[in-house]
Amino acid sequence: MADVTIWNEYRHEREDDEIAAVYPDGIHATIADALTDGDGRDEAPDHSIRTATLDDPEHGLPADVLEETDVLLWWGHEAHDEVSEAVVDRVQERVLEGMGLIVLHSGHYSKVFKRLMGTTCSLQYREDGGTERLWVVDPGHPIADGLDESIELPRTEMYGEPFDVPEPDRLVFTSWFEGGEVFRSGCCYRRGSGRIFYFRPGHEEYPIYEDDDVRRVLRNAVDWATPTEGAPRTFGERD
C-alpha cells in the first residue's frame, strides 16, 4: 500500500461551467477514483489517498503531508506562477529523498517539474479536439502492464515535438496525432532516490481520466513510483 497525494490546481473546474460538467468534483477526485478502481481485471489497489489543491493553506502540501507521501501526482495549468517557492523546495527535497512524482499533462510547465528537469520543458501544442494514439514503445515496462499495443483517445489536445526535456531514462509511450505530430508522452526519470513519470494526456475539456486505459496507466505509475527499500545511503565525512 502506498500513501498517495493528488495535487490539483482546481481552478478550471470552478471557473468554467463546461469543464465543471466534465469534472464536477474536480480532476483530483476523478484521479482518486481511478486509483481505487480495479476496472474488472484485477483487484483495486489498497492505497491511502488524500487530495490537495492550490488554494488550500500551503497549497495542501505542508511538510508533514509531504513527509507521509510516497507518491505525489501533480496536475496544473493556468496558475503555475502562484505555487510558492517554499512548496517547490519541499517537493524537490522529498523527491530527492525517494518520494515518487507523477506529473500530468500541462504540469510539464510546473515549477517543480522544470526545477527537477533543469530545462524549459517547452513544447508545441494545438487545441483542436483531434484523435491521439499513444503507442506503447516499451512494452516490458511496469507502467505498460495490462495494456494493448496502443491507447486511442478520440478527442484531445495536441502536444508536439520539440519537447525541451532531458532524454528520458525510459520512454514508455510515444503519441501520434491527426496532424502528423509525434510526442514523447510517457517519460521516466530518476532524481536522487525518487522516480518521476511524466504522462501527457489530461486536457481538462475532455473526460480523459475516465478512460479505462488511462486509469490503468495511472495505477501502474503509482506502483512503479512507490519507494522501495534499498541499501542505506550515507553522505559526508566517513571514519
Side-chain angles (χ1 to χ4, degrees), residues 7 9 45 91 105 119 127-128 136 152 164 178 185 188 193 214 217 233:
W7 192 89
E9 189 179 273
V91 173
H105 190 54
T119 59
E127 296 187 23
D128 60 355
V136 179
E152 185 163 314
D164 185 24
E178 284 190 62
S185 288
C188 298
S193 297
V214 169
V217 170
R233 305 176 72 199

Side-chain angles (χ1 to χ4, degrees), residues 105 123-132 155-161 176-183 200 203 206:
H105 190 54
L123 46 78
Q124 296 184 10
Y125 69 94
R126 182 176 60 250
E127 296 187 23
D128 60 355
T131 297
E132 173 183 6
R155 298 189 69 201
T156 189
E157 176 186 24
M158 185 280 290
Y159 277 12
E161 298 286 347
W176 165 91
F177 298 88
E178 284 190 62
E181 297 87 0
V182 295
F183 190 77
R200 195 216 73 83
H203 187 61
Y206 310 113

Side-chain angles (χ1 to χ4, degrees), residues 191-207:
R191 293 293 184 269
S193 297
R195 292 178 173 180
I196 302 170
F197 180 60
Y198 172 74
F199 188 48
R200 195 216 73 83
H203 187 61
E204 66 278 359
E205 295 181 15
Y206 310 113

Side-chain angles (χ1 to χ4, degrees), residues 9-16 54-55 78-79 82:
E9 189 179 273
Y10 197 35
R11 290 286 177 81
H12 291 293
E13 306 95 307
R14 293 186 290 129
E15 297 172 352
D16 187 306
L54 178 65
D55 293 326
E78 65 177 6
E82 296 182 36

Side-chain angles (χ1 to χ4, degrees), residues 202-213:
H203 187 61
E204 66 278 359
E205 295 181 15
Y206 310 113
I208 289 169
Y209 293 122
E210 299 285 1
D211 181 270
D212 286 343
D213 286 331

